């Protein structure tokens, strides 16, 4: 693949990241290629696991579902020859885990967990996560309110906050 095609595919990914609802024809116009080329590139990006999943961002609170999210800081002891990967693999296989990232700094893994209530999340941490061999400590932070997710403002209530001036 030449550099120009690679650059166009990267541009395509940026356009998809901004607005996935665009048609292949709209994307093709913006990139100066044929719609069939976009279709082929999308197929290749999916096969190469570059374009993994296209998922809507849902305001669950507004939809009436008050699930609980928590960010859990996990400190672990890396294992010989596999480092952090083996423990991370055990953790990301739990269905409660929404996101898992290796971090630099005070803790090793950042785990985002979702449950139907605080007790369910706490139960997951105490019985499943904290009991894994190699997990040294966990610190749980419950999400109280989401303002922005995946670069999208959840509720943009731009009210005019200027003081009313009367004559």
């Amino acid at each position: 693949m030449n550099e120009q095609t690679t650059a166009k595919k990267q541009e395509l990914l940026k356009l998809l990241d901004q607005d996935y609802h665009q048609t292949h024809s709209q994307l093709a116009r913006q990139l100066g290629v044929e719609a069939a080329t976009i279709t082929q590139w999308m197929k290749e990006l999916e096969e190469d696991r570059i374009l993994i999943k296209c998922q809507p961002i849902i305001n669950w609170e507004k939809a009436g579902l008050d699930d609980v999210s928590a960010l859990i800081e996990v400190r672990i002891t890396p294992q010989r020859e596999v480092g952090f990967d083996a423990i991370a693999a055990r953790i990301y296989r739990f269905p409660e885990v929404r996101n898992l990232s290796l971090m630099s700094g005070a803790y090793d893994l950042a785990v985002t967990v979702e449950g139907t209530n605080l007790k369910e999340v706490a139960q997951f941490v105490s019985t499943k996560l904290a009991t894994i061999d190699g997990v040294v400590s966990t610190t749980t932070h419950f999400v109280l309110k989401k303002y922005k997710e995946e670069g999208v403002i959840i509720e943009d209530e731009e009210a005019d906050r200027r003081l009313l001036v009367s004559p």
Side-chain angles (χ1 to χ4, degrees), residues 12 23 33 35 46 50 54 66 83 88 95 120 130 135 137 143 166:
L12 171 63
T23 65
V33 297
E46 289 171 0
I50 294 170
C54 301
D66 292 330
E120 185 177 293
V135 170
S137 68
V143 176
S166 58

Short mmCIF file of all heavy atoms in Angstrom, two decimals, residues 12 23 33 35 46 50 54 66 83 88 95 120 130 135 137 143 166:
data_model
loop_
_atom_site.label_atom_id
_atom_site.label_comp_id
_atom_site.label_asym_id
_atom_site.label_seq_id
_atom_site.Cartn_x
_atom_site.Cartn_y
_atom_site.Cartn_z
N LEU A 12 -9.93 8.89 6.35
CA LEU A 12 -11.23 8.24 6.43
C LEU A 12 -11.57 7.90 7.88
O LEU A 12 -12.69 8.17 8.34
CB LEU A 12 -11.25 6.97 5.57
CG LEU A 12 -12.47 6.06 5.72
CD1 LEU A 12 -13.73 6.77 5.28
CD2 LEU A 12 -12.26 4.77 4.91
N THR A 23 -22.63 8.66 4.61
CA THR A 23 -22.70 7.59 3.63
C THR A 23 -21.34 7.43 2.96
O THR A 23 -20.49 8.32 3.03
CB THR A 23 -23.75 7.89 2.54
OG1 THR A 23 -23.32 9.04 1.81
CG2 THR A 23 -25.13 8.13 3.16
N VAL A 33 -12.29 10.27 -3.76
CA VAL A 33 -12.19 8.91 -4.31
C VAL A 33 -13.60 8.43 -4.65
O VAL A 33 -14.59 9.11 -4.37
CB VAL A 33 -11.52 7.94 -3.31
CG1 VAL A 33 -10.09 8.36 -3.01
CG2 VAL A 33 -12.32 7.80 -2.03
N ALA A 35 -16.94 5.92 -4.32
CA ALA A 35 -17.65 5.29 -3.21
C ALA A 35 -17.26 3.81 -3.08
O ALA A 35 -17.16 3.28 -1.98
CB ALA A 35 -19.16 5.42 -3.40
N GLU A 46 -11.91 -3.27 8.67
CA GLU A 46 -12.57 -4.20 9.58
C GLU A 46 -11.81 -5.52 9.66
O GLU A 46 -11.62 -6.07 10.75
CB GLU A 46 -14.02 -4.44 9.12
CG GLU A 46 -14.91 -3.23 9.36
CD GLU A 46 -16.29 -3.36 8.73
OE1 GLU A 46 -16.59 -4.40 8.09
OE2 GLU A 46 -17.06 -2.41 8.87
N ILE A 50 -8.70 -2.66 12.54
CA ILE A 50 -8.42 -1.24 12.78
C ILE A 50 -9.74 -0.56 13.10
O ILE A 50 -9.86 0.18 14.06
CB ILE A 50 -7.73 -0.61 11.56
CG1 ILE A 50 -6.34 -1.23 11.37
CG2 ILE A 50 -7.65 0.91 11.72
CD1 ILE A 50 -5.66 -0.87 10.08
N CYS A 54 -18.48 0.08 15.72
CA CYS A 54 -19.12 1.39 15.65
C CYS A 54 -20.32 1.34 16.58
O CYS A 54 -21.24 0.57 16.36
CB CYS A 54 -19.54 1.70 14.22
SG CYS A 54 -18.12 1.67 13.12
N ASP A 66 -30.53 3.83 35.09
CA ASP A 66 -29.55 4.42 36.00
C ASP A 66 -28.49 3.41 36.42
O ASP A 66 -28.26 3.19 37.60
CB ASP A 66 -30.26 4.99 37.23
CG ASP A 66 -31.11 6.20 36.90
OD1 ASP A 66 -30.76 6.91 35.96
OD2 ASP A 66 -32.12 6.41 37.58
N GLY A 83 4.64 -9.98 31.81
CA GLY A 83 4.40 -8.64 32.33
C GLY A 83 2.98 -8.46 32.84
O GLY A 83 2.48 -9.25 33.64
N ALA A 88 -4.14 -8.64 32.78
CA ALA A 88 -5.07 -7.82 32.02
C ALA A 88 -6.06 -8.71 31.25
O ALA A 88 -7.26 -8.43 31.22
CB ALA A 88 -4.32 -6.89 31.06
N PRO A 95 -17.55 -9.85 31.93
CA PRO A 95 -18.55 -9.06 31.20
C PRO A 95 -18.82 -7.68 31.83
O PRO A 95 -19.26 -6.76 31.13
CB PRO A 95 -19.81 -9.94 31.23
CG PRO A 95 -19.59 -10.92 32.33
CD PRO A 95 -18.11 -11.09 32.48
N GLU A 120 -23.61 -4.13 43.39
CA GLU A 120 -23.16 -5.07 42.35
C GLU A 120 -21.72 -4.76 41.93
O GLU A 120 -20.90 -5.67 41.78
CB GLU A 120 -24.09 -4.99 41.14
CG GLU A 120 -23.77 -6.02 40.07
CD GLU A 120 -24.77 -5.95 38.93
OE1 GLU A 120 -25.95 -6.29 39.16
OE2 GLU A 120 -24.37 -5.55 37.82
N ALA A 130 -10.32 -8.17 43.05
CA ALA A 130 -9.31 -8.12 44.10
C ALA A 130 -8.72 -9.49 44.43
O ALA A 130 -7.64 -9.58 44.99
CB ALA A 130 -9.88 -7.47 45.36
N VAL A 135 -2.92 -9.12 41.88
CA VAL A 135 -3.55 -7.83 42.18
C VAL A 135 -3.13 -7.42 43.58
O VAL A 135 -3.38 -8.13 44.55
CB VAL A 135 -5.09 -7.90 42.05
CG1 VAL A 135 -5.74 -6.63 42.59
CG2 VAL A 135 -5.49 -8.13 40.60
N SER A 137 -3.63 -4.04 44.92
CA SER A 137 -4.63 -3.18 45.54
C SER A 137 -5.58 -2.63 44.48
O SER A 137 -5.26 -2.59 43.29
CB SER A 137 -3.97 -2.02 46.29
OG SER A 137 -3.36 -1.13 45.37
N VAL A 143 -18.67 6.86 39.22
CA VAL A 143 -19.00 7.98 38.34
C VAL A 143 -20.33 8.56 38.81
O VAL A 143 -21.33 7.85 38.91
CB VAL A 143 -19.12 7.51 36.86
CG1 VAL A 143 -19.57 8.65 35.97
CG2 VAL A 143 -17.79 6.94 36.39
N SER A 166 -31.81 46.02 32.69
CA SER A 166 -33.04 46.76 32.37
C SER A 166 -32.75 48.25 32.43
O SER A 166 -31.93 48.71 33.23
CB SER A 166 -34.16 46.36 33.32
OG SER A 166 -33.77 46.61 34.65
#
